[in-house]
Amino acid sequence: MEWGSESAAVRRYRVGGEQRVGPAASAQPQREARTLEPRADACEGSARTRKRSAAESGGASGAAWTGLSEARAALGLALYLLALRSLVQLSLQQLVLRGAAGRHREFDARQARDYLEHITSFGPRTTGSLENEILTVHYLLEQIKLIEVQSNSLHKISVDVQRPTGSFSIDFLGGFTSYYDNITNVVVKLEPRDGAQHAVLANCHFDSVANSPGASDDAVSCSVMLEVLRVLSTSSEALYHAVIFLFNGAEENVLQASHGFITQHPWANLIRAFINLEAAGVGGKELVFQTGPENPWLVQAYVSAAKHPFASVVAQEVFQSGVIPSDTDFRIYRDFGNIPGIDLAFIENGYIYHTKYDTADRILTDSIQRAGDNILAVLKYLATSDMLVSSSKYRHGNMVFFDVLGLFVIAYPSRVGCIINYMVVMAAVLYLGKKLLQPKHKMANYTKDFFCGFGITLISWFTSLVTVLIIAVFISLIGQSLSWYNHFYVSICLYGTAAVAKIIFIHTLAKRFYYVNASDQYLGELFFDISLFVHCGSLITLTYRGLCSAFISAVWVVFPLLTKLCVHKYFKQHGAEGKFIACYFLGMFIPYLYSLYLIWAVFEMFTPILGRSGSEIPPDVVLASILAGCTMILSSYFINFIYLAKSTKKTMLTLTLVCAVTLLLVCSGTFFPYSSNPTSPKPKRVFLQHMTRTFHDLDGKVVKRDSGIWINGFDYTGMSHITPHIPEINHTIRAHCEENAPLCGFPWYLPVHFLNRKSWYLPASEVSPRDPVHFRLVSKEQTPWDSVKLIFEASGPSHMSFYVRTHKGSTLSQWSLGNGTPVPSKGGDYFVFYSHGLQASAWQFWIEVQVLEEQPEGIVTVAIAAHYLSGEDKRSSQLDSLRDKFPDWTFPSGWVCTYSLYVF
């Protein structure tokens, strides 16, 4: 047997001096002597003294290798990861690839910025407000008219202002039903002069949440679409198909306007595909985070046309898993229109998303330029594509797609991905099988050491996770959550160092007390193989489950395996010398670079979300878990360095010291979670609702009436940081649940009560809006099928919420909302979100209650909440006074509302 073939299992000898015999041993006595390794019996628990010699741990040539310097290894690894992180940062800062738009850039970001500044100058634009329904709509129509005047005679522009009324149910936020009346859509159709039978849709929304100018969400997208419309309409290139631009005025009302368009507008029947422009942050790169369903040709269109690509199937699978509490118009077009599409969103700087800081000046011109270049190119591609006509022929199958540092996109069908993945698995199986399945007299105890090492690796990862979770729980209990929110490096120093230190500690113990006499080279090779085995198992699992994200595991198998094959011979002869380390780092360049690229995207999206995820989810536990998972992935192919290094004491000591010091600083409150820094604000979100509540009994008499300012802090810290600034907001005014009332008797704007169970209720004077809600029972009928039909009528402000709770012995069987089948929210109550535009008529609807057993306290309790989000009714003197007391690092969003409860 040649020496190269023996590398799979380095030879061993027993501690007692037992020597090997046989042809292979006698053929190369000198080389054998230099590579002898003691046998570590997996079943022995007794400690053994560590015996190493130059002959045992040395290479096959020249001077003996005596182990890797700890300082060299730690410093080299740190510099390597920092260099990769710098490359990732450079790629993210490069918003526009210079020259990618060609000699003459068609899309003009300066013009789009002018549109943006005009739209945001109207202020917050809630549905039903003057700013949304009149000022913004008039401005859009004026600009569209100017574009139409400048358009080329090859094209025809048609404009329609739609004001739909409708209702639907959705399982978002635990499930609820939505009803809208007379909301606004501005629709523009650009088509060839002779007309078109097929169209591609571009969608944005010009409304905003209350108290936010909504520059990124979503005025910038509408500005981009206006400029794309101008460029396409003045182009001398003829379009084959129509392009429909939908400027919808009620997306923040949980996707109502898109539903009104796709289910009611006559042009909706022409649409074969769509592009939805959204935001989950402010500026930066727009990420393709959803495509389909299926229809791989759409991904190919983006790949072929986009000039500054940024796309990931990983983001798609994460978003569609539901772990991010958000949704877009993509869902409406997919579920109610059965149309495939592409969903894009700005994801950078989500800290100021839906706040007063979401202003036009925070969005870079290059960010607008790249979005415009991409949307223009993709729309032009689709509007001249033959596939759009017969898109149904190409609908089946999914795509694996991902960009490479924003330079280009790699995309291939998922079925091809499965073949590639299983080929990679076969290569890894052949490599590992050659070692694990060789005869015992050649393998010695490699198989046993391998599976013991696998167990040790799992233990190290598990204990690492447990360690950071213990720290996270402790931090949460002492009231120092979110200390990293304004200083992300704190989370690395606290949880990242703890995770790494624990992994190193467990493997150091294994090296010292279990693999007591094994050579460093043998252990380095063994734990490389174990890491390869883990990633191979991950690849098999993800591929079997049909996840396109399995390509990441394939990358983590292919490149390390190729690296191992390239450096293996040198490693056996010279050990872990400088040349080996350089080649090893180079071979790991692609998996580590791409993983850091993805990890950035994960933290860019999730870190701001943890600052608005409610009072029930400990953000430190979530972040610590994510960091522990990232540590496991990034450490996998560097675990072998623990065994190659002479010592790990200084590294563990340094990591432990950094973690301990950071923990002490966090406990002392050194790192304040929030910031009012004008250049990079990270505010705490607080919702203030000045309300008056009225509770009626079965006879219609008022049994309780109170008024106050209802306070919700939508993060885990509650009011702990607010109380020192506003002493009256303290634990003594914690709001209590009204057990017999739907949703605890509070006027929830959306059914997020399960995310935020801690709130405060500060007594205040009654509110008296000029447009009070009018709610009455029109009729009560007994149906032939022994149920009770209650017909109601309500009128009031542009936003209202209707709640239903049936009593014992009664069930809600049907109603006139949605598809007729009531959809309960989390907790069992029923939630209806209502909104209207201007000049809406009274809202009349009915519910039908099946009575199984008559109860003296009635059959059903209903409540209606009115939310005044715009105009003079939105404000009150006490609300303004309280809001002014909040420190500048908060974003207090307030409005007036009423809540009335009735029993029938």
Side-chain angles (χ1 to χ4, degrees):
M1 181 182 292
E2 294 180 358
W3 179 249
S5 64
E6 293 184 341
S7 62
V10 182
R11 304 183 185 281
R12 319 182 66 149
Y13 70 97
R14 294 187 181 276
V15 178
E18 180 178 326
Q19 298 183 357
R20 298 187 182 278
V21 293
S26 60
Q28 298 178 346
Q30 293 181 351
R31 184 168 293 172
E32 183 77 15
R34 280 197 295 267
T35 58
L36 288 174
E37 298 181 11
R39 180 178 185 267
D41 192 339
C43 298
E44 290 186 23
S46 59
R48 307 173 193 172
T49 56
R50 189 172 187 81
K51 299 178 181 179
R52 292 174 185 262
S53 66
E56 290 171 347
S57 57
S61 64
W65 178 71
T66 57
L68 183 63
S69 165
E70 179 185 8
R72 247 176 103 188
L75 182 61
L77 184 56
L79 291 176
Y80 178 68
L81 293 176
L82 284 174
L84 293 179
R85 177 66 184 91
S86 299
L87 284 175
V88 170
Q89 190 64 34
L90 284 173
S91 74
L92 296 170
Q93 291 176 347
Q94 186 70 28
L95 294 177
V96 178
L97 300 177
R98 303 302 173 186
R103 294 180 183 176
H104 302 287
R105 178 171 289 165
E106 296 174 308
F107 182 91
D108 187 354
R110 292 170 299 177
Q111 180 62 58
R113 176 171 287 283
D114 184 62
Y115 295 142
L116 172 63
E117 289 174 350
H118 273 87
I119 294 172
T120 54
S121 68
F122 301 133
R125 302 170 302 283
T126 55
T127 299
S129 67
L130 172 73
E131 295 81 4
N132 192 70
E133 307 299 326
I134 296 179
L135 298 180
T136 305
V137 170
H138 283 180
Y139 176 75
L140 289 173
L141 293 174
E142 286 174 3
Q143 298 309 309
I144 293 165
K145 185 65 177 177
L146 290 174
I147 291 170
E148 186 178 3
V149 171
Q150 301 169 13
S151 65
N152 192 298
S153 59
L154 288 171
H155 312 291
K156 181 172 68 174
I157 294 180
S158 305
V159 184
D160 181 50
V161 178
Q162 182 200 22
R163 301 195 188 275
T165 296
S167 181
F168 63 96
S169 295
I170 190 170
D171 61 2
F172 178 53
L173 294 177
F176 65 96
T177 298
S178 183
Y179 185 93
Y180 54 90
D181 185 11
N182 204 40
I183 58 176
T184 305
N185 283 323
V186 177
V187 196
V188 184
K189 181 168 67 170
L190 176 69
E191 60 184 333
R193 178 59 60 182
D194 297 332
Q197 299 300 312
H198 308 279
V200 57
L201 171 72
N203 176 79
C204 72
H205 68 91
F206 57 84
D207 67 313
S208 73
V209 296
N211 304 309
S212 172
S216 69
D217 187 24
D218 192 32
V220 67
S221 297
C222 291
S223 304
V224 166
M225 277 174 45
L226 278 173
E227 176 60 7
V228 169
L229 172 62
R230 184 194 67 81
V231 173
L232 287 177
S233 66
T234 56
S235 172
S236 58
E237 299 178 33
L239 300 174
Y240 301 163
H241 314 296
V243 181
I244 295 174
F245 296 85
L246 171 60
F247 302 87
N248 89 57
E251 189 273 350
E252 297 296 356
N253 286 7
V254 201
L255 323 177
Q256 291 178 338
S258 56
H259 181 270
F261 171 79
I262 204 64
T263 59
Q264 300 176 41
H265 200 281
W267 293 348
N269 294 327
L270 303 176
I271 298 170
R272 302 292 175 264
F274 70 89
I275 297 177
N276 183 50
L277 285 71
E278 256 297 348
V282 179
K285 294 184 174 185
E286 79 289 351
L287 171 68
V288 173
F289 67 99
Q290 283 193 102
T291 64
E294 299 193 273
N295 288 274
W297 65 276
L298 274 175
V299 176
Q300 291 290 5
Y302 180 84
V303 172
S304 302
K307 296 177 179 178
H308 320 288
F310 188 40
S312 175
V313 72
V314 179
Q316 173 174 296
E317 292 181 340
V318 169
F319 188 83
Q320 292 180 351
S321 70
V323 299
I324 298 177
S326 182
D327 224 326
T328 72
D329 287 324
F330 180 97
R331 181 195 189 109
I332 299 297
Y333 299 131
R334 179 195 66 194
D335 295 351
F336 293 93
N338 196 28
I339 302 170
I342 300 174
D343 212 359
L344 303 98
F346 295 103
I347 64 169
E348 192 172 298
N349 198 11
Y351 298 99
I352 57 178
Y353 167 76
H354 279 189
T355 72
K356 65 182 180 181
Y357 299 105
D358 183 9
T359 53
D361 60 292
R362 296 186 184 276
I363 302 175
L364 298 177
T365 301
D366 274 356
S367 186
I368 299 173
Q369 185 67 57
R370 63 166 286 120
D373 286 344
N374 286 339
I375 301 306
L376 174 60
V378 175
L379 282 177
K380 187 182 293 185
Y381 183 95
L382 292 174
T384 56
S385 170
D386 293 332
M387 285 187 175
L388 194 71
V389 178
S390 52
S391 59
S392 59
K393 294 181 181 179
Y394 309 99
R395 66 174 299 177
H396 296 296
N398 293 310
M399 291 288 284
V400 178
F401 61 92
F402 54 94
D403 73 285
V404 179
L405 299 181
L407 300 174
F408 57 89
V409 176
I410 296 175
Y412 49 87
S414 59
R415 62 180 182 277
V416 174
C418 286
I419 295 171
I420 293 172
N421 292 347
Y422 284 124
M423 288 175 65
V424 171
V425 168
M426 287 303 299
V429 167
L430 287 173
Y431 168 80
L432 294 172
K434 185 179 178 182
K435 294 185 172 186
L436 295 171
L437 301 179
Q438 285 191 43
K440 286 187 177 181
H441 70 276
K442 295 181 180 180
M443 286 299 301
N445 283 331
Y446 176 84
T447 302
K448 191 177 293 184
D449 286 344
F450 178 90
F451 286 107
C452 286
F454 175 63
I456 290 167
T457 300
L458 293 183
I459 290 171
S460 72
W461 287 347
F462 176 74
T463 55
S464 172
L465 177 61
V466 170
T467 300
V468 298
L469 288 180
I470 289 173
I471 297 173
V473 170
F474 173 73
I475 292 296
S476 302
L477 291 175
I478 65 171
Q480 295 297 337
S481 289
L482 294 169
S483 57
W484 38 264
Y485 191 68
N486 186 36
H487 321 272
F488 186 72
Y489 62 86
V490 172
S491 65
I492 304 296
C493 294
L494 182 61
Y495 301 122
T497 56
V500 175
K502 194 66 173 185
I503 290 173
I504 295 175
F505 177 69
I506 296 298
H507 284 283
T508 301
L509 289 180
K511 178 181 177 182
R512 182 174 180 81
F513 296 108
Y514 181 73
Y515 296 109
V516 64
N517 285 318
S519 75
D520 294 343
Q521 284 173 281
Y522 171 76
L523 294 176
E525 184 171 334
L526 178 72
F527 278 90
F528 175 92
D529 294 346
I530 290 169
S531 296
L532 188 70
F533 176 76
V534 170
H535 285 290
C536 190
S538 172
L539 177 57
I540 294 171
T541 302
L542 295 177
T543 304
Y544 177 76
R545 295 187 62 185
L547 295 176
C548 295
S549 302
F551 80 90
I552 301 174
S553 294
V555 169
W556 277 102
V557 174
V558 169
F559 289 96
L561 183 55
L562 291 174
T563 302
K564 178 63 182 298
L565 296 176
C566 291
V567 303
H568 173 67
K569 186 175 180 180
Y570 182 89
F571 177 65
K572 296 310 298 179
Q573 293 176 347
H574 303 285
E577 294 183 350
K579 185 177 178 181
F580 163 79
I581 294 175
C583 292
Y584 190 84
F585 281 176
L586 184 63
M588 297 294 176
F589 178 80
I590 291 178
Y592 274 88
L593 181 66
Y594 189 72
S595 293
L596 286 172
Y597 187 60
L598 282 180
I599 287 170
W600 167 85
V602 168
F603 285 111
E604 189 70 28
M605 292 177 68
F606 276 96
T607 306
I609 287 174
L610 291 174
R612 57 178 188 267
S613 57
S615 65
E616 301 306 296
I617 303 173
D620 277 68
V621 171
V622 176
L623 189 75
S625 301
I626 296 173
L627 274 169
C630 293
T631 302
M632 294 172 197
I633 294 170
L634 296 177
S635 69
S636 56
Y637 284 109
F638 290 124
I639 287 175
N640 53 347
F641 277 50
I642 300 171
Y643 294 90
L644 292 173
K646 295 176 184 178
S647 173
T648 57
K649 290 180 181 178
K650 293 179 181 178
T651 303
M652 281 195 295
L653 182 62
T654 302
L655 291 170
T656 304
L657 185 62
V658 170
C659 179
V661 170
T662 307
L663 180 61
L664 288 174
L665 292 174
V666 168
C667 292
S668 66
T670 303
F671 304 109
F672 191 67
Y674 314 104
S675 169
S676 59
N677 184 347
T679 59
S680 182
K682 295 182 175 66
K684 175 181 174 63
R685 299 160 192 260
V686 182
F687 291 92
L688 310 173
Q689 293 171 248
H690 188 180
M691 66 177 183
T692 293
R693 299 189 299 175
T694 307
F695 298 81
H696 301 81
D697 62 12
L698 188 58
D699 298 324
K701 296 178 181 178
V702 176
V703 293
K704 180 180 178 180
R705 185 178 178 90
D706 61 19
S707 297
I709 299 178
W710 186 40
I711 305 166
N712 280 283
F714 264 75
D715 66 28
Y716 196 73
T717 64
M719 293 293 112
S720 60
H721 295 292
I722 302 295
T723 302
H725 298 268
I726 313 175
E728 57 265 38
I729 302 178
N730 54 61
H731 70 279
T732 62
I733 60 164
R734 281 283 299 274
H736 301 288
C737 178
E738 298 284 345
E739 298 294 341
N740 296 323
L743 277 71
C744 285
F746 287 105
W748 289 98
Y749 179 71
L750 286 171
V752 293
H753 51 287
F754 61 95
L755 292 174
N756 209 61
R757 299 186 188 279
K758 297 175 185 175
S759 60
W760 290 257
Y761 192 41
L762 183 65
S765 60
E766 287 193 5
V767 296
S768 53
R770 289 178 296 179
D771 180 23
V773 65
H774 296 283
F775 180 78
R776 68 187 183 95
L777 176 67
V778 176
S779 67
K780 180 179 180 180
E781 305 171 4
Q782 190 77 30
T783 67
W785 44 90
D786 294 328
S787 64
V788 178
K789 185 176 183 179
L790 302 172
I791 302 176
F792 298 105
E793 185 178 87
S795 62
S798 60
H799 292 74
M800 294 188 287
S801 304
F802 180 70
Y803 322 108
V804 182
R805 173 181 290 183
T806 55
H807 296 181
K808 183 180 179 181
S810 303
T811 58
L812 191 61
S813 57
Q814 56 181 325
W815 56 13
S816 60
L817 307 169
N819 62 3
T821 303
V823 175
S825 297
K826 281 194 175 181
D829 293 335
Y830 296 84
F831 187 103
V832 181
F833 182 92
Y834 168 89
S835 76
H836 69 70
L838 297 176
Q839 300 175 348
S841 57
W843 176 32
Q844 192 169 101
F845 61 98
W846 55 264
I847 65 174
E848 196 170 291
V849 181
Q850 192 75 40
V851 182
L852 305 176
E853 182 182 350
E854 192 76 37
Q855 298 291 332
E857 63 271 16
I859 60 174
V860 65
T861 296
V862 302
I864 190 164
H867 303 274
Y868 297 87
L869 302 180
S870 62
E872 288 301 316
D873 282 344
K874 171 187 172 183
R875 305 177 61 180
S876 72
S877 58
Q878 282 184 290
L879 183 62
D880 290 344
S881 176
L882 180 64
R883 185 164 41 202
D884 291 341
K885 293 181 181 179
F886 276 81
D888 56 4
W889 42 262
T890 63
F891 170 60
S893 179
W895 64 91
V896 166
C897 60
T898 60
Y899 178 97
S900 300
L901 178 142
Y902 305 87
V903 181
F904 299 100

